Amino acid sequence: MFSAMELSGNILFNAIKEIIIQSRLKVFRMANSTLLESYWHIGKLIVENEQQGKLRADYGKSTLKTLSKQLTLEFGKGFDDRNLNNMRAFYKAFQIWYAVRTELSWTHYRLISRLDQEEKRSYYVNETIAGNWSSRTLQRQIETLAFERTLTQPNSSTYNIQNLLKDPYIFEFLGLNPETSTTERNLETAIIDHLQKFLLEFGKGFAFVARQQHIVTDTSDFFIDLVFYNYILKCFVIIDLKTGSLNHQDIGQIDMYIRMYDDLKKGKDDNPTIGILLCSEKDETIVKYSILNDKNQLFASKYLLYLPKEEELKNIIEQDRLRFELDNK
């Protein structure tokens, strides 16, 4: 048992510790904000100076090299022509300083500033802040085309399941060999073993609830592969894993699971349960001519156990996007 003096000392230590942590965070935030603002202003000056030249491209390159040498001699590292180009890109991507979110670091902004569309930049800024993504996580999301894989983009702050789901999902982090067959149980186990990465890839607002959740009815017992709760949509999300091609029996089964879950598990304040079939192969004919096509509670997404090359991934996304737009006219 702690004595009163030991307890008091422990409280004192924790209180001082918290002050130190908060003060350091405050210093870091102020330093980060100052750094971003200085880089933004440097980028602004470079762009404005470049725009006064008659031969912009050649003028800009020669100016940056000269400027880099001068700044490096005066201030040391951090001002090579590559970083000056990053500052230039930063300003061109975010031309209103007060719209810059200082929660993000310079490394985050270096990655986001390279993106060619404002909508993409806005998506990654918002998702990075909401998910507290590290710069490494942000880089993976950009490289795996997370923006393009999202079915639809939200309007303002209004979300629905289409805003949160992706197609396809990329599960290279599970460590399963895509060249060899795997069982649904092995896939499920790998997901649980890499749950944090799975949730990051799966989307915003998902929290793990259960694996092989047991549902008992008057006549039978059922086991649902994975159950999550989405706190944005305020609903349960059940996932059925399929290592082969999607068929009508799979669709009928998860439709039954949704109905059972709504009846037996859903709380009065919860929205209707959503079901997602994660499959290695998706027959678009079955999707089109099944209840998947006219129910907003039931979805099918393909998953990949490897990280495809950018061109392959773009082709997959484009095909899925065209089908999605045709089916939702």
Side-chain angles (χ1 to χ4, degrees):
M1 296 291 291
F2 287 110
S3 67
M5 184 175 294
E6 287 173 329
L7 185 61
S8 176
N10 192 49
I11 292 172
L12 178 63
F13 167 78
N14 287 331
I16 294 173
K17 177 183 173 182
E18 185 62 23
I19 290 171
I20 294 170
I21 290 172
Q22 291 302 318
S23 65
R24 287 181 175 178
L25 283 174
K26 186 176 180 181
V27 169
F28 171 79
R29 286 194 294 265
M30 289 177 63
N32 184 62
S33 178
T34 302
L35 178 73
L36 290 176
E37 187 172 8
S38 66
Y39 282 179
W40 183 88
H41 281 292
I42 291 170
K44 182 173 185 287
L45 288 172
I46 290 171
V47 170
E48 290 175 346
N49 190 56
E50 179 187 61
Q51 287 173 347
Q52 293 173 8
K54 294 179 181 179
L55 300 173
R56 294 185 186 178
D58 293 336
Y59 178 87
K61 286 180 182 178
S62 62
T63 300
L64 284 186
K65 286 188 176 181
T66 303
L67 183 61
S68 170
K69 290 178 182 178
Q70 293 173 324
L71 291 172
T72 301
L73 283 171
E74 182 74 22
F75 298 105
K77 294 181 180 179
F79 296 98
D80 56 37
D81 53 345
R82 183 178 179 182
N83 209 27
L84 291 179
N85 257 315
N86 287 330
M87 297 175 202
R88 175 181 176 275
F90 177 40
Y91 170 73
K92 292 189 76 173
F94 300 92
Q95 295 191 22
I96 302 173
W97 164 246
Y98 293 106
V100 173
R101 301 291 298 273
T102 56
E103 300 98 311
L104 301 185
S105 70
W106 172 236
T107 307
H108 287 113
Y109 274 112
R110 281 208 322 259
L111 295 168
I112 295 172
S113 296
R114 298 170 190 164
L115 300 173
D116 57 355
Q117 295 176 24
E118 184 178 353
E119 191 178 14
K120 283 186 190 179
R121 295 193 292 268
S122 178
Y123 169 84
Y124 286 111
V125 166
N126 293 332
E127 293 299 309
T128 300
I129 292 171
N132 196 27
W133 290 353
S134 67
S135 56
R136 181 176 295 181
T137 299
L138 171 62
Q139 185 169 7
R140 181 193 180 273
Q141 295 292 331
I142 293 173
E143 289 176 351
T144 58
L145 307 181
F147 172 82
E148 289 83 354
R149 288 187 289 126
T150 305
L151 295 183
T152 61
Q153 295 301 313
N155 296 318
S156 301
S157 58
T158 303
Y159 283 91
N160 56 42
I161 188 62
Q162 286 94 341
N163 303 150
L164 301 179
L165 291 184
K166 300 188 183 94
D167 196 14
Y169 286 96
I170 299 174
F171 297 151
E172 90 287 353
F173 53 81
L174 296 182
L176 298 173
N177 188 345
E179 302 299 325
T180 60
S181 60
T182 188
T183 65
E184 289 162 9
R185 179 54 63 93
N186 287 342
L187 177 61
E188 179 186 307
T189 299
I191 288 172
I192 296 300
D193 289 345
H194 299 84
L195 189 58
Q196 185 175 2
K197 291 182 178 178
F198 176 82
L199 289 172
L200 182 63
E201 168 64 9
F202 210 66
K204 186 187 296 182
F206 288 93
F208 177 67
V209 175
R211 170 190 187 183
Q212 289 296 314
Q213 188 168 36
H214 189 193
I215 303 292
V216 181
T217 67
D218 293 337
T219 58
S220 302
D221 287 46
F222 300 91
F223 293 87
I224 298 175
D225 288 346
L226 296 168
V227 181
F228 295 86
Y229 191 85
N230 190 280
Y231 60 83
I232 297 174
L233 303 177
K234 300 189 185 309
C235 70
F236 287 99
V237 179
I238 61 177
I239 294 177
D240 205 14
L241 301 171
K242 298 299 171 187
T243 55
S245 297
L246 189 66
N247 59 48
H248 288 292
Q249 289 79 12
D250 299 329
I251 297 168
Q253 177 177 276
I254 196 168
D255 184 48
M256 179 184 68
Y257 285 166
I258 289 172
R259 296 172 191 271
M260 283 194 303
Y261 217 91
D262 277 344
D263 185 43
L264 301 173
K265 295 289 186 180
K266 183 175 79 70
K268 63 179 181 178
D269 295 327
D270 296 324
N271 289 319
T273 302
I274 289 169
I276 301 171
L277 279 160
L278 277 182
C279 48
S280 56
E281 296 294 335
K282 189 169 65 169
D283 188 324
E284 295 300 334
T285 300
I286 290 178
V287 171
K288 183 175 182 178
Y289 294 107
S290 70
I291 56 174
L292 284 171
N293 200 39
D294 54 21
K295 288 198 69 171
N296 57 11
Q297 287 176 254
L298 185 54
F299 301 87
S301 283
K302 183 177 178 177
Y303 65 83
L304 304 175
L305 294 177
Y306 65 98
L307 184 59
K309 292 182 178 178
E310 185 176 351
E311 204 56 42
E312 179 189 352
L313 185 54
K314 283 182 178 178
N315 289 336
I316 294 171
I317 292 168
E318 184 60 25
Q319 291 170 14
D320 286 341
R321 178 75 60 191
L322 288 172
R323 293 190 193 102
F324 181 80
E325 290 174 354
L326 287 171
D327 293 340
N328 288 272
K329 278 187 174 181

